[in-house]
Amino acid sequence: ILRNPSCVSSIFLTVGEKQLPQEVVFMAWSPKRDLIALANRAGEVLLHRLANFQRVWSLPPNENTGKEVTALAWRPDGKILAFGLTDTKRIILCDVEKPESLHSFSVDSSITYMHWMEVTEESSVLTSFYNAEDESNLLLPKLPALPKKKKAVNFFWYAHQHILFCFDRLNALVLGGSSGFIEIYAYGMFKIATVTGVAGSCRGLCLSSDLKSLSVITEIQDSSDSEAEITYFQLDTSLLSSYLPEVTRMARKFTHISTLLQYIKLSLTCMCEAWEEILMQMDSRLTKFVQEKNTTTSVQDEFMQLLLWGKASLELQALLMNQLTVKGLKKLGQSIESSYSSIQKLVISHLQSGSEALLYHLSELKGMALWKQKYESLGLDASGIEEAITAVGSFILKANELLQVIDSSMKNFKAFFRWLYVAMLRMSEDHVLPELNKMTQKDITFVADFLTEHFNEAPELYNRKGKYFNVERVGQYLKDEDDDLVSPPNTEGNQWFNFLKNSTHLKESPLLFPYYPEKSLHFVKKQMEGVIDQCLQKPADVIGKSVRQAFCMSLYKTSQSEDSTPQLFKLPFLWNDKASNIHYVLFTILESSISKIYILRRHTDTSRSVSNGILALFYFYRCYSCLDAHFYDDETVTVVLKESVEQEGKERILAQLPLSSVYTDEDQEGEFIWDSTKRLEEQSGEIPTRTIFLENQWRVLENMKAQYVAVNGIRKVSCVLSSNLRHVRVFEMDVEDDGEVEEEEEEEITQTAAGEPEELNQSADNQESVCGASAEELPDEAEEHETSLGP
């Protein structure tokens, strides 16, 4: 590769430049918009616009997500950004419009690389399936939105429905980590494959757009003293490709189920927030009354005497008039009624609706599993799905039990507070309204039953909840505890329970959902989530085990010497849309004074001969070494070059390398044949090469020690990052008719300057402050940091 110094590039237009406060470790351009995502060492994720590198939003690190970002990936439609965190081992999906987490999940390994692809395979079956309306939208009622006052929760659900859950084609998020960890998530949400058998820590991976092949590059190191070996694997994922319509349907069902589980979880969160601690005041005050009173009379007897004879002991009068007060009693009654009504509405409109929709999708999934010809190979297990349906049924039973407890408690408290309110008015000798003074024998019996059931002292409760009473019985269903209910429902005299108890045939009937009277709603929900996760885990295991190794080759070994430049710079992949069964792998090696860029052209159709692989090789002798390289499009590689030590200026250069000039035809006699027994670097002398002259496809990067580059050929942009990881410069790469544009701009400037000179000067000053930082304004970058940067 030779550069023509007499030719000056006129196609790389600087559109933005900025000094950043934190060191940038990852850059990724949006595939659809002029946006670039950055991740810095502080754990912050930022989104910048192309124009003047303006910041759109920033997402600071927090305890719920993590503080060490190790990978970035955009969804193919550009609406969602995914990033992995190594300290918490979590994957976060973030909305492009707002710096808020839409969805997150945990993984078993630290993520080192992420790739989000979209299936482009066309077939009549898939086209009709993509265009068909989801039947669940026609058969199931629309789930109500969560309470608007819970903004964060409501946005989360809105995002699930309208952002995460709007998919036309199947897309998959592929994760690679340490110790051979590779997983595939359909729509970025639900795991459909756990790949095993790949050794080493993942440094790059790519799933083909037709799902036939998964290419992985790993770093294998036997011990800390030995050299790490960079190895290329090509894995056969033909099961996904062969069953693409079935995989798509199954993935959609999985995503529906995952979304509904999230909806139920958020509904329970709203219910917990609706339940107020003020409801526990009655229990606390009665316990304090027991601890302070001197008489031997029980609390239940004290209230019974007040109910039957209208007289209260001096201690009870002090409790009611001084601690509770008439005003406090009224407020307590209103709070209980408001909280119970809110919880009741959430159970009916949200929990029951979400659970019924969950039953529908699980039942459909069971029907798919019974179609063994289509879905047995994918690992769908009808028996496991049946257990999940049973678990959902148990959850619905527990939700109905909570409704009965709420209804009973509302009636009891309403009658109790009405009687106690009148009694306290009489104690204070206030006027009692005639309509409040009327109390029938039935009302007296109802209050007496309530006192008998709820006001019994239970000293064993004090060790569990610090109180002798459990008058308020709704909160125990909402607590996230594994302990049994403090006051389970009374099933004595229930005809249905007696019938089941005496019927030996119905006890183990699969038609009846198991009932857990001693457990809370939260406990049954967690049990349901566990059963569903276990049943949906099997397809991921089965599909993962079907993946087999089609090809493996050692690329090179990394040097362990301290003074040598790291050999591994970038391992991106590019899939050629014109020939879907061919893809390219790019990586660079620096050896002494020779820098090499390898581009592997591999057929993903594993039935073809391995010898059909063609490899292009760029050499940089003496004058230049390659700092970073990235695919710009199907025909071009973007590189950052540095002049060698012998050169005085040591300038950094941004250049475009055309692939067509170095490719050899497949039918040519001098085709390179891979020898899998040798490392690729040992065979580089056998690769045919040609001389390339860079005419106007390069540009000197003045006042910048460039080190890394991120490009997007679709948007025709690139972003260069300096070696100190804080200085970025953004370019538009293909500016058409640049000379004519400059002439038009000069004419406009001349006309504007004649009319409004002051405004022009102000605009020019702003332009210089944003994009035209001089060498004096830029920080000294004498010391370079050779920090690896992800794509």
Side-chain angles (χ1 to χ4, degrees), residues 146-170:
L146 295 161
K148 292 183 178 179
K149 61 181 180 179
K150 312 290 189 303
K151 290 184 179 179
V153 170
N154 206 41
F155 171 76
F156 203 86
W157 170 240
Y158 172 83
H160 270 258
Q161 286 289 83
H162 299 281
I163 301 175
L164 286 173
F165 208 53
C166 57
F167 32 67
D168 295 325
R169 296 177 177 274
L170 175 66

Side-chain angles (χ1 to χ4, degrees), residues 241-283:
S241 177
S242 302
Y243 291 88
L244 180 55
E246 291 77 18
V247 169
T248 304
R249 287 189 178 92
M250 186 177 71
R252 286 197 178 185
K253 283 299 171 191
F254 283 3
T255 311
H256 271 296
I257 293 168
S258 177
T259 305
L260 287 169
L261 286 174
Q262 189 65 37
Y263 181 76
I264 291 173
K265 179 181 178 181
L266 294 173
S267 300
L268 263 174
T269 301
C270 293
M271 290 168 58
C272 291
E273 292 177 1
W275 184 83
E276 302 175 6
E277 289 294 335
I278 193 173
L279 304 181
M280 302 300 296
Q281 287 188 14
M282 182 65 73
D283 292 352

Side-chain angles (χ1 to χ4, degrees), residues 133-205:
E133 186 174 0
D134 192 344
E135 289 185 357
S136 62
N137 294 330
L138 304 175
L139 300 176
L140 294 174
K142 186 178 180 181
L143 293 176
L146 295 161
K148 292 183 178 179
K149 61 181 180 179
K150 312 290 189 303
K151 290 184 179 179
V153 170
N154 206 41
F155 171 76
F156 203 86
W157 170 240
Y158 172 83
H160 270 258
Q161 286 289 83
H162 299 281
I163 301 175
L164 286 173
F165 208 53
C166 57
F167 32 67
D168 295 325
R169 296 177 177 274
L170 175 66
N171 60 73
L173 177 64
V174 191
L175 308 177
S178 56
S179 304
F181 175 86
I182 298 175
E183 290 184 341
I184 303 175
Y185 285 78
Y187 304 110
M189 291 181 62
F190 213 96
K191 183 166 58 177
I192 59 170
T194 301
V195 180
T196 58
V198 177
S201 179
C202 179
R203 289 293 174 261
L205 52 78

Side-chain angles (χ1 to χ4, degrees), residues 455-474:
F455 281 67
N456 280 326
E457 295 178 25
E460 67 275 5
L461 290 180
Y462 197 82
N463 295 329
R464 289 186 57 181
K465 53 182 289 188
K467 302 179 181 67
Y468 294 124
F469 298 90
N470 194 41
V471 178
E472 200 288 310
R473 298 192 174 182
V474 174

